[in-house]
Amino acid sequence: MVKSGGITVGVIANPASGRDIRRLTAKASVFSMSEKANMVQRLLGPLGTFAVDRVLMMPDATGIAAAVLRAVQANEAQGRTVWPRVEFVTQELVGGAVDSQTAARLMQDAGAKLIVVLGGDGTHRVVAAAVPDMPLATLSTGTNNVFPDWREATVTGIATALYVTGSVGADIALQRNKRLCVQLGERTETALVDVCVTRLTHVGARAIWEPDTIAELYVAFAEPDAIGLSSIAAMFQLIARDEPRGAYLRCAPNGRQVLAAIAPGVLERIVVDHFENMVPGVTYPVRTKRGSIALDGEREIEFHHGQVPQISLMLNGPPTLNVTATLAAAVNSGVMVDPVVRSVVR
Amino acid sequence: MSDTLNRERLLRAYRTMRTIREFEERVHTEFATGDIPGFVHLYAGEEASATGVCMHLRGDDYIASTHRGHGHCIAKGVDPVGMMAEIWGKSTGSCKGKGGSMHIADLSKGMLGANGIVGGGGPLICGTALAAKMKNDKTVGVCFFGDGASNQGTILEAMNLATVWSLPAIFVAENNGYAETTSSSWSVACDNIADRASAFGMPGVIVDGFDFFAVHEAAGEAVRRAREGGGPTLIEVKVSRYYGHFEGDQQTYRAAGEVQKLRDEKDCLLQFRRRVTADGDITDAELGTIDAEVLALIDDSVVRAKADPKPGPDDLLTDVYVSY
């Protein structure tokens, strides 16, 4: 993969997102592979039109990359729109989160200025962990996410192009996010939205859908219109994505009740007996003696008696593309009228 | 909280998985001697699937199995000694030696049978599930099938029917990556078998088939849902088999080291042991005792299977639908 490929954007479409047990325990949407491939195609048009030279894609064995490749060939044959040159990064697929991480590092090495991530909270989390300072354009593939934008890919494509070609500067186009850091012995993990300490001793099917399994919750931000565990905190207090604080809360039978939308279609009564703000950089030891820890809603870590996981809020989370602000800035600066675009030479 | 895995249940899960593994490893060895008639298809590597699902089932729940049925049998409570005798074709076998590996059935245990017909289990389970619904006896039916069967009309028709009638049925697609010798990435038109569920209006989920806890939890929800009248579910278990399609398959279609890597890194028994002993609730010694007991059981089953009598000429016209 050469570095001198012109203005380059990476695209990671996680083939595994949107298939977990929440399709059974909640009414979370099912997002098909072909729809992910369609989303990539909807990105390619605006990226090409607004002068992005090259798109690097993650390969996969489930058909997204294959569908995109067929679409590229069909687009070339028809010659209707200018797409960037599409290349696939060369990597050995092992079938797991590590594939997305490998792809992200290879894209960074190949000079990508931004990576568009199609996936859920989990996909964004693992990509951000692999390339912490890489700007990400976030696209949610499903109804069960908080961190990524739930937005039409075409528009994200336009904003991406405006940023990577320099029409809109990083000071406006990018926003810094917070992250939550989980330390357990030698192991360090990151979450972008929430860390939930559960009473379930095993990671199992990963999701959390029963309120009485929730022991403690740490959130980086809390928005009342969000879906998932962070909405519990939001019922007490709103915490914006750019505020330098988070929240910590503990569940116990004698506290105050809230109703929270902890999964699509699942409104549950949660009893909270302690709520406090999290201060950035301060380490919070987990009080639960044994259980498992969910990162952005998915149980990932089992811990045992004698082990005390430490949670901290950091302000150096991944930079993400603010699509609304980017487009507004572009309009205000006049570049969207009589724009300089690439068109097909006929 | 869904079915809590207490000590007793964890030990039971381990014993079941270990019994399946020991049984299959032993059949693998014995088959090579040429002593066993017919074909055998081994389940080694997939133990967490049958065990994680069947632990939620009652004695009067039904399962339908596949040609790779030994694991489902053991997990549903069929006696391994009778199974071994059946595989040897002996009159003491589960089906009096007339079925062999591919047709082991035990209706008293709710095991409708291993099945030589790829995708044959779907319609059977719609039948038992319809009966359960009409009798309102709160039983469920589980159809195990593979990635090959996921392309068969029978399975697609069964999933359609299960939704239309809102049957207490669970479809467990054990995707071990190969339909005989054809990779599922070549032969399954959609990318995950679970994706097909949405076309039939039922939830479809994917679980890691090497992780007992993942299978157990997902299956628990699906079984609960079916029992309470919530309708059918499709669970795709992503797994692999340690041996060929059948014993004797040279497996030239698999990458070198593919199986060894799985055995070393993902094996369900290995993972399970590591995770349950981590907190000291269960000790290595306890699991070692189970290993020894299971080994003795399987040794004994082989000794008896070899020594037991074959069916005689008089047995030819017994246990058949039409006796001439």
Side-chain angles (χ1 to χ4, degrees):
Chain A
M1 203 58 51
V2 287
K3 206 157 183 163
S4 56
I7 297 172
T8 300
V9 168
V11 175
I12 293 176
N14 178 10
S17 70
R19 295 294 181 282
D20 70 26
I21 193 174
R22 280 169 282 199
R23 275 77 209 160
L24 176 52
T25 57
K27 292 291 170 196
S29 55
V30 178
F31 219 83
S32 70
M33 297 297 150
S34 46
E35 181 51 23
K36 288 178 194 171
N38 288 342
M39 279 173 81
V40 175
Q41 293 170 55
R42 302 204 295 267
L43 279 167
L44 291 173
L47 291 180
T49 302
F50 284 94
V52 170
D53 298 304
R54 181 173 67 149
V55 161
L56 295 176
M57 266 202 76
M58 179 174 83
D60 66 275
T62 67
I64 301 173
V68 171
L69 195 59
R70 283 195 297 274
V72 167
Q73 289 159 354
N75 185 62
E76 279 170 10
Q78 295 174 86
R80 284 174 189 271
T81 42
V82 184
W83 282 4
R85 202 166 66 254
V86 177
E87 296 174 11
F88 292 88
V89 292
T90 308
Q91 65 182 106
E92 188 192 343
L93 295 172
V94 296
V98 76
D99 286 339
S100 294
Q101 298 196 309
T102 306
R105 289 193 194 97
L106 289 168
M107 289 168 186
Q108 181 167 270
D109 294 347
K113 292 190 165 187
L114 174 149
I115 296 175
V116 186
V117 181
L118 282 72
D121 290 332
T123 311
H124 288 82
R125 172 170 60 78
V126 299
V127 171
V131 287
D133 296 316
M134 171 65 73
L136 307 177
T138 67
L139 278 171
S140 176
T141 51
T143 56
N144 203 36
N145 305 304
V146 181
F147 187 78
D149 280 356
W150 182 233
R151 185 188 292 283
E152 169 47 40
T154 316
V155 179
T156 299
I158 299 170
T160 296
L162 290 169
Y163 164 67
V164 298
T165 56
S167 295
V168 178
D171 55 329
I172 293 168
L174 301 184
Q175 62 187 54
R176 250 310 168 186
N177 294 274
K178 289 171 274 188
R179 66 187 176 97
L180 289 157
C181 181
V182 181
Q183 188 83 40
L184 180 65
E186 298 291 293
R187 187 173 179 184
T188 306
E189 298 280 355
T190 295
L192 299 176
V193 184
D194 52 48
V195 171
C196 180
V197 180
T198 85
R199 299 188 176 96
L200 298 163
T201 48
H202 299 288
V203 162
R206 299 187 182 269
I208 296 166
W209 64 93
E210 290 161 315
D212 52 2
T213 62
I214 301 170
E216 299 170 54
L217 183 66
Y218 302 78
V219 301
F221 58 91
E223 298 169 336
D225 56 346
I227 190 79
L229 300 173
S230 72
S231 71
I232 300 170
M235 295 301 109
F236 288 96
Q237 206 175 93
L238 310 190
I239 298 171
R241 295 189 189 219
D242 57 359
E243 260 183 282
R245 66 187 176 109
Y248 164 63
L249 48 91
R250 239 182 355 252
C251 296
N254 298 320
R256 292 159 65 199
Q257 280 185 16
V258 289
L259 274 172
I262 61 169
V266 181
L267 194 58
E268 287 284 1
R269 207 172 289 278
I270 315 283
V271 187
V272 174
D273 82 332
H274 179 83
F275 183 104
E276 69 177 85
N277 279 312
M278 278 185 92
V279 181
V282 173
T283 299
Y284 294 77
V286 165
R287 293 179 172 222
T288 309
K289 297 297 173 215
R290 181 185 179 185
S292 53
I293 294 177
L295 307 172
D296 298 332
E298 287 182 280
R299 278 175 281 154
E300 294 281 349
I301 304 167
E302 294 173 3
F303 65 99
H304 310 287
H305 287 291
Q307 293 181 305
V308 183
Q310 314 270 340
I311 319 286
S312 45
L313 176 73
M314 315 295 265
L315 300 180
N316 62 349
T320 51
L321 183 70
N322 184 333
V323 173
T324 308
T326 303
L327 287 167
V331 169
N332 290 337
S333 67
V335 299
M336 300 309 279
V337 178
D338 298 330
V340 182
V341 296
R342 283 181 185 165
S343 53
V344 177
V345 181
R346 289 189 184 270
Chain B
M1 211 179 289
S2 52
D3 251 347
T4 312
L5 281 166
N6 56 22
R7 250 179 70 80
E8 180 267 326
R9 283 175 67 78
L10 287 171
L11 289 170
R12 186 148 68 84
Y14 182 78
R15 185 181 294 276
T16 304
M17 291 197 289
R18 176 53 74 191
T19 306
I20 298 170
R21 175 66 55 83
E22 200 65 52
F23 190 96
E24 297 297 64
E25 297 281 11
R26 191 58 181 269
V27 171
H28 171 73
T29 313
E30 296 290 338
F31 191 86
T33 68
D35 219 16
I36 295 174
F39 280 114
V40 293
H41 306 78
L42 301 181
Y43 193 73
E46 307 186 26
E47 292 85 351
S49 176
T51 308
V53 172
C54 290
M55 278 189 73
H56 297 287
L57 301 183
R58 314 190 317 210
D60 53 354
D61 290 327
Y62 281 107
I63 66 166
S65 177
T66 69
H67 54 281
R68 199 174 304 289
H70 303 168
H72 306 135
C73 287
I74 292 171
K76 192 67 175 67
V78 181
D79 175 26
V81 176
M83 287 173 58
M84 197 64 91
E86 185 62 35
I87 290 170
W88 249 270
K90 299 302 178 70
S91 61
T92 50
S94 314
C95 304
K96 301 186 186 173
K98 294 177 180 178
S101 164
M102 238 188 296
H103 305 94
I104 302 179
D106 187 344
L107 298 187
S108 72
K109 301 289 184 190
M111 166 62 189
L112 292 174
N115 203 320
I117 310 294
V118 173
L124 297 180
I125 283 304
C126 281
T128 67
L130 179 62
K133 189 174 178 178
M134 293 174 80
K135 292 195 287 189
N136 194 27
D137 61 8
K138 302 292 176 200
T139 63
V140 303
V142 176
C143 170
F144 289 99
F145 63 102
D147 42 298
S150 78
N151 296 331
Q152 294 290 334
T154 47
I155 290 294
L156 304 173
E157 290 168 33
M159 288 200 279
N160 183 62
L161 203 54
T163 300
V164 169
W165 286 344
S166 192
L167 296 179
I170 299 100
F171 295 87
V172 179
E174 295 180 321
N175 184 352
N176 65 19
Y178 303 99
E180 295 200 358
T181 62
T182 306
S183 165
S184 55
S185 59
W186 285 90
S187 58
V188 180
C190 56
D191 310 301
N192 296 294
I193 297 168
D195 295 0
R196 291 191 165 148
S198 58
F200 296 111
M202 67 172 87
V205 298
I206 294 175
V207 290
D208 176 0
F210 289 101
D211 182 349
F212 164 80
F213 297 99
V215 177
H216 180 266
E217 203 166 283
E221 278 301 303
V223 170
R224 181 194 58 74
R225 184 169 180 274
R227 240 189 252 298
E228 291 174 1
T233 301
L234 170 60
I235 301 174
E236 180 179 1
V237 180
K238 300 268 195 197
V239 73
S240 193
R241 53 170 150 83
Y242 288 170
Y243 293 111
H245 166 63
F246 50 72
E247 283 308 275
D249 174 4
Q250 295 302 309
Q251 302 185 71
T252 51
Y253 50 90
R254 301 186 91 163
E258 179 182 313
V259 172
Q260 196 54 50
K261 193 172 161 65
L262 294 170
R263 279 189 185 264
D264 293 345
E265 293 172 12
K266 297 199 75 176
D267 185 72
C268 61
L269 284 156
L270 208 69
Q271 266 196 61
F272 186 91
R273 179 181 283 261
R274 181 166 48 72
R275 288 166 69 179
V276 299
T277 55
D279 208 38
D281 284 355
I282 290 174
T283 63
D284 262 324
E286 283 176 292
L287 298 181
T289 305
I290 293 177
D291 291 346
E293 287 168 3
V294 167
L295 181 62
L297 170 75
I298 301 301
D299 275 347
D300 178 53
S301 75
V302 172
V303 170
R304 286 162 64 170
K306 287 179 175 174
D308 284 345
K310 289 182 176 171
D314 293 346
D315 298 317
L316 194 60
L317 297 179
T318 59
D319 302 317
V320 290
Y321 284 114
V322 178
S323 189
Y324 295 99

